[in-house]
Structure formats: structure tokens, C-alpha cells
Amino acid sequence: MNTTVKTLLTGTALAVSLASLAPQVALAADSKVLLKVPVAFSTNLPSLGSPILKVADQLKLVSNNTLRMKVYEPGKLVAPFEILDSVSRGKVNAGFTLAGYWAGKIPASPIFSSVPFGPEASEYLAWIYYGNGLKLYQEMYDQAGYNVHVVPCGITPPETSGWFSKPIEKPEDLDGLRMRFFGLGGKVMEKLGVSTSLLPGSEIFPALEKGAIDATEFSIPSVDKNIGFHKIVKYNYFPGWHQQATLAELLIHKDTWNDMSESHQAQINQVCKASVADSLAQGEAEQFAVMKENVEKRGVVIKQWSPEMLSTFKSAWDEVVIEETSKDPFFAKVWQDLSEFRDGYKVWGENAFLPR
């Protein structure tokens, strides 16, 4: 055998060997990952808790079963208010929840779930994805010392403003009420004499039933119906000035995230973006039928806040913003960035859309 033939055969053998290794290299890059995901909300709550089940199904499909999620209902693995700490410490490697639950640990966190008198979903997502929102969102967790990677993974449309046992006609009617309230809107209500508490979803109905609270807000009508607030309190107020859009987060332990292949990371990012679109569409599609049924079959009285009441809420919110920005530098940083984005967005928003 001459030298040329030997060289050709050796080169061919090497090429075949490398080719045979390629699938193994690809498989090694996408080694199997299991995310154990405790959730803050029951998965039977549409647009709020249900999206993570669809995310789990889609990730299994697009990853060819190399990236899977096991979803745990609230309290089954981790209590809702312990998800952030549990993911950061590695007790679990992921969690599905709302950033606003961490207000006691990170004052700026509610800005990344909902903002009183804040942007609707389209403007909010514009800031998150194409402004500085997502960058600041991750920075918030990093500077607070949490070992997590955050991915927006769902969004709900405007919530109801609350369920009450009697009409609220003037600011004085709020004074002395005990009410479950979420996020920065709770600070607004406290300025108006309301005693607020932040209860997880599973504890709200029992608290109403036992008289521990007088009123509550929680979510969109389809979610509130499933919990059954209408069985106890009949006056349902709109608009939800405190939560015009509510962003959900998938938290992943940062070491787990960093160990993933770029393919798995991209799959999570894109499937979660699809979940954002899907949860919003589902939320918008389902509310009007529930509202009609609430009135016709469940005895609910739908009420609109008067201009006086909305002005009262807005004035109190302006005071809260001043207080929060003066107390916490990172809150001030995020608020300034969001405010600048919204000021710019007005040029588009005020010209592009038909008046309602």
C-alpha cells in the first residue's frame, strides 16, 4: 500500500470516527435536565396557575424529552412565600411565582409583577423585553444576593379591583376594612385606612368565610370564580387600578441555569415567551363570559369606581412612590427607568390607538 493510499484511508477513518462521535457530543450538550417546580398558585386557576403546565408539556416536546419539569402544587414541596429562598439555596432548582411576593425582602420587586396605574400588558412587555426591564429584573436579584436566574413566563390582563360585602361610595367607606391586598397597591389602601394582609390564594376564602378579613382582591374574574369569592362577598369593583397587568416569573437556580446547554436555555426562553402570549390571550378571552354569569347566575353586582375614588387612589399612589423611591435606591433606579420609558411610550400610545 503506497503512502498516498494510507493517508487517504487514515483520513477517511478519522472522518468516520469523528462523525460517529458527533451525535454523542450533541447528546452530551443536551444531557437530561429535570426542573422541580413548586408553584405559588393552583394549576386549576386559568392564566395564573395553569400556564406552567403548558410550559412543562412544551419543553418536553421541543427538547425531545431532555428537558422536563415536575410541577408541585402550592405547599406540596415548598410554601408559596418560600419559593425564592428555596430556589436560591438550591433546595429546589426552579419555581413559578410572582416577584411581588418578595416585597418584604426586596422593595423593588413588586414593580416586576404589577404597577398601580401602570402599563397595560403590551406596554409592560415592551419595557421588559425591549427596554431595560429584564436587565433590571435580573440585576434586582443579583444585587440582593439571590442565586437565581429569572425568566418572565406568563402575564394576566387587568384584575378586578376587589370583592366587598357592601358598596364603597367614598374614601371614608374604606376606613377600618380588613382586606387581603397584593403588591404596591396594598400600600395605597393602607393610606386610606385599610388594614391589609398578603395571603396566598389558598388561604383567602377561609379567611373571608371566618371573618378574619372583610374584603379581598386576588385576580381576574375567571380565577376569582374558581376560588368562590362570590359565595361570600357580592360587590365586585372595577377597574383594577392596582394591577392592569400581572407578570409571572420562572425562577431557576443560577447554577442549574449555567450548567444547561445553550439549546436548553433557548428552549426555556422561547417557550416562556409563548406562555406570556398564551396566558394573556386566554385571560382576555375568558373574562366577559364569567362576568355575565356572575351577574346572571351568582348574584354578583359589578361596580365601577367613581372618578372621585380613582383620583383618591391615584393621589395616594403618588405619595407611595415618593416614599418608596426615597427609602430604597434600587427602587428609585427601576422607577426612574420605567418612568422614562413610559414618558417616551406616550408619543406612540397617544397617537397610535383609537380612543375608547
Side-chain angles (χ1 to χ4, degrees):
M1 186 179 297
N2 61 39
T3 303
T4 301
V5 172
K6 283 184 177 180
T7 301
L8 286 171
L9 289 174
T10 302
T12 301
L14 179 60
V16 171
S17 177
L18 289 174
S20 68
L21 284 173
Q24 298 176 40
V25 172
L27 286 173
D30 280 345
S31 56
K32 290 189 176 182
V33 175
L34 174 63
L35 297 177
K36 295 184 176 181
V37 187
V39 299
F41 307 103
S42 172
T43 57
N44 74 346
L45 300 178
S47 296
L48 182 64
S50 63
I52 196 63
L53 295 180
K54 297 179 184 179
V55 169
D57 288 342
Q58 291 301 305
L59 284 176
K60 183 178 179 180
L61 286 172
V62 301
S63 71
N64 196 26
N65 204 30
T66 61
L67 177 55
R68 296 186 300 115
M69 282 184 170
K70 184 172 177 58
V71 176
Y72 295 85
E73 294 293 332
K76 295 297 183 182
L77 187 62
V78 173
F81 292 169
E82 296 175 6
I83 290 176
L84 173 59
D85 285 336
S86 295
V87 176
S88 180
R89 294 170 183 165
K91 179 179 178 181
V92 292
N93 57 8
F96 183 68
T97 182
L98 302 182
Y101 278 154
W102 325 131
K105 308 171 188 289
I106 313 172
S109 63
I111 300 176
F112 295 100
S113 54
S114 56
V115 181
F117 295 94
E120 296 180 6
S122 58
E123 183 183 354
Y124 202 10
L125 293 172
W127 175 65
I128 289 290
Y129 288 126
Y130 289 96
N132 293 321
L134 189 52
K135 176 184 174 182
L136 290 167
Y137 200 169
Q138 183 62 56
E139 183 183 342
M140 175 187 74
Y141 286 124
D142 293 344
Q143 61 88 33
Y146 288 95
N147 192 36
V148 298
H149 179 83
V150 63
V151 183
C153 209
I155 197 167
T156 53
E159 294 192 355
T160 88
S161 189
W163 293 82
F164 300 85
S165 60
K166 60 183 180 181
I168 306 296
E169 306 293 351
K170 55 188 183 299
E172 291 77 15
D173 292 338
L174 292 169
D175 191 27
L177 280 181
R178 299 164 301 167
M179 186 173 185
R180 186 272 184 194
F181 220 96
F182 174 80
L184 293 164
K187 294 182 180 293
V188 172
M189 298 300 278
E190 287 170 2
K191 284 188 170 292
L192 301 176
V194 178
S195 174
T196 68
S197 55
L198 180 57
L199 301 174
S202 61
E203 296 180 16
I204 302 173
F205 186 89
L208 276 173
E209 194 172 36
K210 295 173 183 176
I213 56 175
D214 307 306
T216 188
E217 62 75 45
F218 186 55
S219 190
I220 52 181
S222 60
V223 169
D224 291 354
K225 178 206 73 173
N226 283 10
I227 295 179
F229 297 145
H230 60 274
K231 298 175 183 177
I232 302 175
V233 281
K234 297 292 188 181
Y235 292 91
N236 192 199
Y237 272 80
F238 294 83
W241 54 269
H242 64 304
Q243 286 177 257
Q244 284 289 286
T246 304
L247 189 65
E249 63 181 11
L250 176 64
L251 296 175
I252 300 174
H253 187 260
K254 193 174 282 186
D255 294 350
T256 300
W257 176 261
N258 291 338
D259 287 343
M260 287 183 190
S261 67
E262 290 185 358
S263 174
H264 277 167
Q265 291 177 351
Q267 287 162 7
I268 290 173
N269 284 332
Q270 294 308 311
V271 169
C272 275
K273 280 187 176 180
S275 176
V276 167
D278 185 72
S279 57
L280 179 61
Q282 180 184 12
E284 292 280 8
E286 293 180 345
Q287 303 321 306
F288 57 86
V290 174
M291 292 174 70
K292 288 175 67 176
E293 289 176 0
N294 278 347
V295 173
E296 295 170 3
K297 299 180 180 180
R298 303 183 184 104
V300 171
V301 180
I302 292 177
K303 302 282 285 184
Q304 284 278 323
W305 290 119
S306 68
E308 176 196 7
M309 289 300 297
L310 286 174
S311 177
T312 298
F313 293 137
K314 181 61 167 64
S315 296
W317 167 237
D318 291 341
E319 293 177 16
V320 170
V321 170
I322 292 171
E323 292 169 1
E324 295 301 309
T325 53
S326 66
K327 288 191 298 187
D328 185 75
F330 193 77
F331 187 106
K333 178 180 179 178
V334 176
W335 184 253
Q336 180 179 353
D337 188 87
L338 175 59
S339 298
E340 289 174 357
F341 185 91
R342 298 200 71 195
D343 286 343
Y345 186 89
K346 283 180 184 177
V347 177
W348 166 249
E350 292 176 356
N351 287 281
F353 300 101
L354 289 169
R356 292 184 177 179

